[in-house]
Amino acid sequence: MRKLIPSWIRVLVVFFIIFGLTEYIIDSGEKPAFIEYPVVSLFLLLVLLILIAIEAIIGALENVMLLKLDEEAKARFLAEKESSFKLTWLSNIYKKLVGAKPIEEEGDIILDHNYDGIKELDNNLPPWWLYGFYATIIFGAIYMLRFHVFHGENQFDELETELADARMAIEEYKKTAKNLVDVNTVTQLTEASDLNAGKTIFETNCVACHMADGGGGIGPNLTDPYWILGGDIKNVFKTISEGGRSGKGMISWKQQLKPLEMAQVASYVLTFQGTTPANPKAPEGDIWVDETIETPLETAIDSIETSTN
């Protein structure tokens, strides 16, 4: 078997087998192991040199053996070695796939048709073509049964599934991507880094109207429970983004501030609730009641109704 494979092919095959096993065993992430770890490159280079050295030694031993043979045996050995890599197996596969008769047997399949000395052979269809045709018939039958009889998922169904998955992925991403927040998805931020950032924005842009302690000046008092446009995080965010009442009140800040910055300053504004400013402005608006939070009385009534039902 060794005579059938040239030495350079043997070296490459063994080397790439070792290379593949090395990459499989050593988990290096996205980069190949021989790039991520220089020692792996040195190891593979050493393996390649050893394989070349082994083949060189075997070749030298063969030459030594040839020197000990007589002329006839030497010629026979060289002839076998020269004709060993003719890939007779490949030619046999080709003949089976083509299915043509050898030239010496063409006399059995010559038809009576003769056109200016050109004769026609009655060859069978090539097996590769015939098997391919049968495969298309089998594929067509399976396709018809799956999609037209059993109504399997088609490309439109797959597209709808992928679009639904994409929409869910976008929504999940929006929950963690603070800068994509809007009035519908904003939540009150409680981390110190966000509140400190909100304080900086407030002191830069808002103290002229609301005072540093939120007691109010031109703008309303932010420390009492009275609100003109609502006092939860969504309403405060919307007021900062879109501005206050038409014709008066605060300007829209959505051109100057990013969504995350508006969420930060809105969260910081809500921290003024319940504090005592130095010079509080008189209340404006109505007492804000968050309708999404049930009072103890409402909770008790709901419990009684549930137990009664």
Side-chain angles (χ1 to χ4, degrees), residues 218-254:
I218 300 173
N221 185 349
L222 301 176
T223 65
D224 60 33
Y226 291 85
W227 291 84
I228 298 172
L229 297 173
D232 65 349
I233 186 64
K234 294 185 184 297
N235 283 291
V236 176
F237 181 94
K238 182 179 180 181
T239 303
I240 296 171
S241 174
E242 305 300 329
R245 292 164 292 176
S246 178
K248 58 181 177 178
M250 189 172 66
I251 65 169
S252 170
W253 287 92
K254 62 184 177 183

Side-chain angles (χ1 to χ4, degrees), residues 12 33-34 40 55 59 62 91 95 102 118 126-128 130 141 145 166 174 185-186 205 217 228 234 288 292:
L12 289 179
F34 73 94
V40 176
E55 286 297 329
E62 287 182 350
S91 62
K95 289 177 182 178
I118 300 175
W128 68 266
L130 198 59
L145 290 173
K174 284 182 176 179
T185 59
V186 65
N205 302 290
I228 298 172
K234 294 185 184 297
W288 170 255
T292 61

Side-chain angles (χ1 to χ4, degrees), residues 3 19 38 69 115 169 173 182 203 247 299:
K3 293 182 180 180
F19 177 84
L69 297 176
Y115 305 95
Y173 175 72
D182 58 24
E203 292 176 348
T299 304

Side-chain angles (χ1 to χ4, degrees), residues 21-82:
L21 289 173
T22 303
E23 289 291 339
Y24 177 77
I25 293 172
I26 302 175
D27 184 10
S28 58
E30 295 181 356
K31 293 183 179 180
F34 73 94
I35 294 177
E36 188 72 18
Y37 307 110
V39 67
V40 176
S41 300
L42 294 176
F43 167 74
L44 293 173
L45 179 61
L46 180 62
V47 168
L48 182 60
L49 293 176
I50 292 174
L51 292 174
I52 294 173
I54 291 174
E55 286 297 329
I57 293 172
I58 293 175
L61 293 175
E62 287 182 350
N63 291 333
V64 171
M65 183 186 68
L66 284 175
L67 294 176
K68 296 180 180 180
L69 297 176
D70 55 30
E71 292 299 325
E72 182 179 351
K74 185 186 297 184
R76 186 168 59 252
F77 177 83
L78 293 175
E80 290 178 358
K81 187 174 182 180
E82 183 179 352

